[in-house]
Amino acid sequence: MSATAELNESFETRLVPRDDFKIEQPLERYDATDHAVWAQLYARQAALLEGRVCDEFLAGLAKLDLPAQHVPSFAALNRRLGAATGFEIVPVPGLVPDRVFFEHLANRRFPVTWWMRRPEQLDYLQEPDCFHDLFGHVPLLIDPVFANYIEAYGRAALAFAHDARALPLFARLYWYTVEFGLMRDASATGGVRIYGAGIVSSHSETLYSLESDSPNRLGFALERVLRTRYRIDTFQKTYFVIDDFRQLFAIAQADFAALIDAFADAPALAAGEIAPGDTVIARGTGEGWAHEGDV
Ligand code: HBI
Ligand code: FE
């Protein structure tokens, strides 16, 4: 084998995932476009989030000291994250199998996709990229109560990883909290702030989730959320609003065996539906909603 081929091979093997899908972050693979996309997204979200995102996120962002101008080195962030809550960023090639994902969370490891979206995907992409995973998720892992929720969620989901009926329920809980959650805040315009990473990492959904008349905003109720389908291709039709992160941590201590037995085989609610017993903070107009396509 030539020296070049050998070099290429050792380079490529670092991107081949192990059983836990962990790779090494290939820092030298980021080009000027990747860094420019990071810088553009970072500047746009940092300017937008003040007054719109929960205080814990901004505190975490400051403590993490994310670089504004270039894609961060995960190793540098891990020193600050580890010191705060013992969480560790694990570089991965992209979406990982559910069981692998839950195993990481249960052990206070958070999988972060290494690659950056292209400039033509600034506003929208369906799969997680490095900006979504890092900017969206990692600042809250600095918060001790939220970090405990993520671990507890991972443990609970892992305990039912053998039960195919359980997965849709755990996926809905993750979706409507970690990805698209809102939090009450009497001091905020409209009385709520964002905390879900799918919103925090999206300019347009930040504005839509807080300011649009279209979506429902409902008080969080665990049994309700476990029964509610969601959208992966458009803005959410419904957002669930928590009081604070202590409420989330308490939710993760629920009797999931009983909840799975009660709800796994029951018909689910459509993403935009309002049901008897809901705490309606805002009833959405439904304007612009696609009718088909709930997951
Ligand atoms: N993998 N990298 C990555 N990120 C996720 O958010 C993710 C995943 N694999 C599975 C998964 N999420 C789902 O199991 C949860 O959303 C429930
Ligand atoms: Fe995410």
Side-chain angles (χ1 to χ4, degrees):
M1 196 189 293
S2 74
T4 315
E6 214 166 284
L7 203 72
N8 279 339
E9 186 180 87
S10 65
F11 180 77
E12 293 306 329
T13 53
R14 291 180 308 121
L15 287 176
V16 175
R18 314 183 312 190
D19 287 351
D20 63 1
F21 284 74
K22 183 177 179 174
I23 57 166
E24 279 179 51
Q25 186 188 17
L27 279 170
E28 67 293 330
R29 280 216 172 179
Y30 298 119
D31 61 15
T33 305
D34 292 320
H35 295 306
V37 168
W38 174 276
Q40 199 176 346
L41 289 169
Y42 184 97
R44 194 167 72 164
Q45 288 313 97
L48 185 66
L49 290 180
E50 186 81 36
R52 294 191 170 95
V53 76
C54 69
D55 293 337
E56 292 89 341
F57 183 93
L58 290 177
L61 194 61
K63 217 165 173 181
L64 256 185
D65 200 17
L66 282 183
Q69 300 296 339
H70 59 86
V71 182
S73 148
F74 298 177
L77 300 181
N78 270 337
R79 288 191 281 277
R80 301 194 273 275
L81 182 58
T85 56
F87 251 89
E88 180 195 350
I89 296 167
V90 169
V92 292
L95 283 174
V96 304
D98 299 315
R99 170 187 274 280
V100 172
F101 185 67
F102 298 146
E103 233 158 44
H104 280 305
L105 301 187
N107 291 286
R108 293 178 96 82
R109 297 185 302 259
F110 197 87
V112 171
T113 304
W114 76 269
W115 53 268
M116 286 292 300
R117 68 190 71 181
R118 298 281 88 201
E120 59 275 14
Q121 302 169 301
L122 269 200
D123 290 301
Y124 182 72
L125 75 174
Q126 208 160 299
E127 18 163 22
D129 77 330
C130 182
F131 185 78
H132 166 83
D133 281 343
L134 251 192
F135 186 92
H137 286 287
V138 177
L140 283 183
L141 299 176
I142 294 267
D143 182 80
V145 183
F146 191 83
N148 287 345
Y149 168 63
I150 294 283
E151 178 193 337
Y153 170 87
R155 285 173 180 271
L158 190 58
F160 294 94
H162 61 277
D163 184 350
R165 297 180 313 148
L167 183 64
L169 276 58
F170 280 108
R172 289 171 191 151
L173 177 56
Y174 192 85
W175 194 259
Y176 281 120
T177 58
V178 179
E179 294 293 354
F180 291 97
L182 298 180
M183 189 191 292
R184 282 186 202 273
D185 184 339
S187 74
T189 321
V192 293
R193 294 201 193 211
I194 60 176
Y195 74 90
I199 310 176
V200 167
S201 60
S202 162
H203 185 90
S204 50
E205 193 146 1
T206 294
L207 294 172
Y208 175 87
S209 66
L210 291 174
E211 291 164 27
S212 171
D213 292 332
S214 291
N216 303 314
R217 298 179 190 84
L218 307 179
F220 187 97
L222 179 59
E223 298 185 357
R224 167 56 151 100
V225 166
L226 295 180
R227 290 159 53 215
T228 309
R229 295 160 72 189
Y230 56 88
R231 304 294 300 206
I232 61 168
D233 57 339
T234 61
F235 294 148
Q236 299 309 303
K237 294 179 175 181
T238 299
Y239 299 92
F240 290 96
V241 184
I242 60 167
D243 295 326
D244 53 32
F245 287 151
R246 283 170 311 179
Q247 182 189 4
L248 274 191
F249 182 70
I251 283 159
Q253 317 305 314
D255 180 354
F256 284 102
L259 289 165
I260 291 159
D261 282 340
F263 299 117
D265 302 315
L269 296 169
E273 208 168 329
I274 293 197
D278 284 347
T279 305
V280 180
I281 296 167
R283 179 182 292 267
T285 61
E287 195 186 324
W289 284 358
H291 290 293
E292 301 294 320
D294 290 7
V295 169

